[in-house]
Amino acid sequence: MIERLSLRLRIFLFFAFIGLASCAIIVASLYFALGRIGPEATPHLVLFGGISCFAILLLNGYVWQKFDLNVANPIDMIVKDVRTLVHAGAQQDLNSETGKYLGFLNPAIREISQALVEAREETDKQVSEATALANRQKRRLETVLQDLDQGVLICNLENKILLYNKRALNILHVSGELGLGRTLFSVVSAAPFRHALDRLHNRFEEGRHKRHKEGLSTMVIGATADGGHTLQGKVTLIVNTEENLATGYTVTFEDITHQLAENVERDRLLHQAMMELRHPAANLQATAEMLAGDFNLDADTRKNFEKILVKETHSLSASIEAMDNKSHQLMAGAWPMSDVYSSSLFNCILRRNASEDLTLTCEFVGTPVWLHCDSVTIVELIEFVMRKVASQTGLRVFQLSANRTGRKIYIDLYWHGEMVTISQIDSWLDEPLDADLGEITGRDVLDRHKTDFWCTKTPDGTVHLRLPLTPARDHHEDDIEVEREIIPERLDFYDFDLMERTDLSDIEDTPLRELTFVVFDTETTGLEPSNGDEMISIAGVRIVNGRIMRGESFDQYIHPGRSIPAASTAIHHITNEMVADAPPVEEVLPKFHSYVSDAVLVAHNAAFDMKFLSLKEAQTGLKFSNPVLDTVLLAAHLQGQTASLTLDTLAEQFGIEIPPEVRHTALGDSLATAEVLLRLIDLLEAGGINTLRDAVEVEKKAAAIRKQQAKY
């Protein structure tokens, strides 16, 4: 029982016992003295006894206060610093002023701590050197996965995702919904994949995979969860080293939505051709037989048959021409085209031009845009035409721009001087572009992009040679660098430790390290959610298997429906202009609810953030009933109620750097809180707090103490 009390409380009880025991001895001595002296001495004994007891208690209290200040409290602080150093790995020196009255104890502990730090650094260095080769191999694998044109997923037998590559995100058109530990069927239709897995399991259990031509693989055709895209790929079972137990499976896939639509259109075109050609062909055949036969036709009848012949010939020619155009469009769609950033396209033209004998000067103007084309042939075409214009006009200086107008992206080539005619352009387009491209001409490139050149001249003498192209098919950020921030170049989307994990029926008994957390934070118009303050930003980051998944973050501005006070903007730097075009809370919270899924919610001072979420339950129809952990309460259990528990203080204590530019942003504070949580879990485990149930219990105790303190 007494071992559960803090050191300072036990020392206080010790001094209190000494004081009370001393008083009890004095009282007992005076009582026996009273019996020997007589009742007439009672007032004197009571007076001197009271003075003695008061003096003893006062002296005892003074000694205790000095002992607590110079011994107990420093020991308590040293213990906390050492536990933080040992279990949380915070690289910080112990304060030399702490425990300066403890003699050699404080220097000895400092020396031991420094030795621990040096030993840990040496161990880390050895581990780093020992794993360098493995890391290089891992990076090669990551590079291969990143560069694959197909999406790759690896799942365990509970259909939880263990790995995905960047291409999988692009094909599935998702961000927050796809994540480690999430179910595969949250992003794809379940039925085709379940059927494929059933077939593979049966093949494996019966041993037929050893002689089957596809082994443990089978083709699968499915769709994304929203039904918007058709997927084709392969599912392959993963077995253990003994090859007697399936442990998971891989899925490789690609988006065949456009290909499928083109195949359907091809079949429809073929069927339409047969139907539309059958009638004119039959009429032509009958008319030809009548004209060629010996039927003694009079002049009028023969003339009518000749008119029918001409009419059906025209009809047949028109049908063939229409089908040829459609066929041409389908052929153009079969070319390998992709979304390209115009600045990348122009830089390719610049590099291509630099490799030629005659160097032209080309300036890029305007804001870059995304477009959809075959970049190889478009670069060759523009560079080819630019050289033809230079040869025709003698000019060496040109300008290029790309602008979006309506449903087209216009590539404009500018120069000042002589205008080229359409006939000249047509003659250039009939020439082969480059020997490396075979016999492909400029006309082939234009036809397959379903476009054409035209040339105009403005009153100021500027000539425009314009090439219309189609906009990008997928949505891209205006700033290409934004995508690199959201999706890291290095593969960060895998955790094979999840392969062997099985779900527990009761999440409360799950070890803290095996839980999936979503650490979140909100920025608001003020500090009073019940009095009309609103959220203006919400962000979160997932922790899976003890790893912060920075590539799976959620970050969204929210339109608050009211103005943001200047005092609040001074803290989080979010202005009214920044949220003017942001979606309302009714659109943002459902996305965040889907992002959180069944994870444990974590926040620093969680009651504040959860209040904002709970007040929106009626408005959004969503309730966040997930378990919630508060890093403030967990830190209060470990550090004590009197310690500073701000996010900045804890980050400094644990050696976590919060860049000033992201402090008081929802995502920046979420990442810092996630780092703090991992350090707290280290300390909690060292103190015997291992499961979610344990953590919730110590939170309740810490919260109860803080409520009692708030009364005074």
Side-chain angles (χ1 to χ4, degrees), residues 587-695:
E587 294 183 21
V588 176
L589 280 193
K591 295 179 181 178
F592 183 66
H593 190 271
S594 174
Y595 174 79
V596 172
S597 186
D598 57 355
V600 177
L601 284 170
V602 181
H604 195 72
N605 194 13
F608 176 79
D609 300 287
M610 291 303 298
K611 183 65 174 179
F612 279 96
L613 297 183
S614 64
L615 288 176
K616 298 301 178 183
E617 289 179 3
Q619 188 174 347
T620 62
L622 296 172
K623 184 175 183 179
F624 288 84
S625 56
N626 310 59
V628 180
L629 291 181
D630 188 340
T631 49
V632 171
L633 297 178
L634 294 176
H637 168 74
L638 294 166
Q639 309 287 1
Q641 299 289 340
T642 59
S644 176
L645 302 175
T646 66
L647 184 58
D648 290 303
T649 300
L650 292 175
E652 181 180 0
Q653 178 183 351
F654 293 133
I656 300 167
E657 182 179 354
I658 306 178
E661 63 271 15
V662 300
R663 182 68 176 102
H664 293 300
T665 67
L667 183 58
D669 286 358
S670 295
L671 288 168
T673 304
E675 296 278 7
V676 168
L677 175 66
L678 294 181
R679 305 300 201 284
L680 292 176
I681 289 176
D682 291 334
L683 295 173
L684 288 169
E685 290 179 339
I689 310 301
N690 297 306
T691 66
L692 178 62
R693 187 192 305 275
D694 298 335

Side-chain angles (χ1 to χ4, degrees), residues 114-149:
Q114 184 61 33
L116 175 62
V117 171
E118 293 175 356
R120 180 177 288 162
E121 290 176 349
E122 181 63 24
T123 302
D124 291 342
K125 180 181 178 181
Q126 293 176 359
V127 171
S128 177
E129 292 174 352
T131 57
L133 179 59
N135 285 335
R136 286 197 295 270
Q137 297 292 340
K138 185 181 71 172
R139 291 190 189 99
R140 292 191 185 112
L141 172 62
E142 292 169 354
T143 301
V144 170
L145 287 174
Q146 290 286 17
D147 293 339
L148 285 178
D149 289 333

Side-chain angles (χ1 to χ4, degrees), residues 398-528:
F398 298 89
Q399 288 183 326
L400 274 171
S401 70
N403 301 285
R404 177 161 187 162
T405 303
R407 296 183 178 181
K408 289 290 184 181
I409 300 293
Y410 293 99
I411 305 293
D412 288 314
L413 178 65
Y414 301 94
W415 69 88
H416 291 274
E418 178 185 347
M419 181 176 175
V420 295
T421 64
I422 296 297
S423 60
Q424 288 175 322
I425 296 175
D426 287 339
S427 65
W428 297 340
L429 295 177
D430 291 333
E431 298 179 24
L433 292 180
D434 190 280
D436 292 337
L437 298 178
E439 296 298 319
I440 292 179
T441 65
R443 179 63 61 192
D444 293 331
V445 175
L446 294 180
D447 288 345
R448 288 167 178 173
H449 283 81
K450 294 175 282 187
T451 188
D452 205 348
F453 271 119
W454 71 76
C455 191
T456 60
K457 189 172 186 178
T458 61
D460 65 354
T462 302
V463 181
H464 293 226
L465 186 60
R466 171 161 284 193
L467 174 64
L469 294 170
T470 57
R473 290 186 176 181
D474 296 326
H475 172 72
H476 299 273
E477 298 287 347
D478 292 335
D479 186 354
I480 194 171
E481 295 298 326
V482 173
E483 183 181 7
R484 293 177 184 168
E485 293 176 7
I486 297 174
I487 303 178
E489 288 301 321
R490 286 196 64 227
L491 186 72
D492 191 32
F493 311 129
Y494 65 94
D495 194 327
F496 293 115
D497 290 340
L498 297 172
M499 181 74 80
E500 306 299 331
R501 182 175 299 174
T502 56
D503 291 337
L504 298 177
S505 59
D506 190 354
I507 191 174
E508 291 185 340
D509 294 323
T510 304
L512 290 172
R513 290 196 178 277
E514 295 185 9
L515 291 170
T516 296
F517 300 99
V518 168
V519 186
F520 78 105
D521 183 58
T522 61
E523 299 299 335
T524 63
T525 59
L527 302 177
E528 300 181 3

Side-chain angles (χ1 to χ4, degrees), residues 323-349:
M323 284 182 284
D324 180 64
N325 289 334
K326 291 182 180 179
S327 174
H328 205 67
Q329 293 175 1
L330 289 175
M331 183 175 62
W335 262 40
M337 300 186 189
S338 61
D339 292 350
V340 183
Y341 206 45
S342 63
S343 63
S344 300
L345 197 72
F346 293 165
N347 283 326
C348 290
I349 296 173

Side-chain angles (χ1 to χ4, degrees), residues 72-133:
N73 188 45
I75 290 176
D76 195 39
M77 293 177 64
I78 290 174
V79 168
K80 289 177 181 177
D81 288 342
V82 171
R83 285 170 61 87
T84 301
L85 177 65
V86 172
H87 297 292
Q91 300 295 323
Q92 58 182 11
D93 295 331
L94 299 179
N95 191 345
S96 59
E97 291 297 316
T98 303
K100 59 184 178 181
Y101 297 107
L102 297 178
F104 293 109
L105 177 60
N106 191 40
I109 291 177
R110 290 177 60 199
E111 291 173 4
I112 294 173
S113 300
Q114 184 61 33
L116 175 62
V117 171
E118 293 175 356
R120 180 177 288 162
E121 290 176 349
E122 181 63 24
T123 302
D124 291 342
K125 180 181 178 181
Q126 293 176 359
V127 171
S128 177
E129 292 174 352
T131 57
L133 179 59

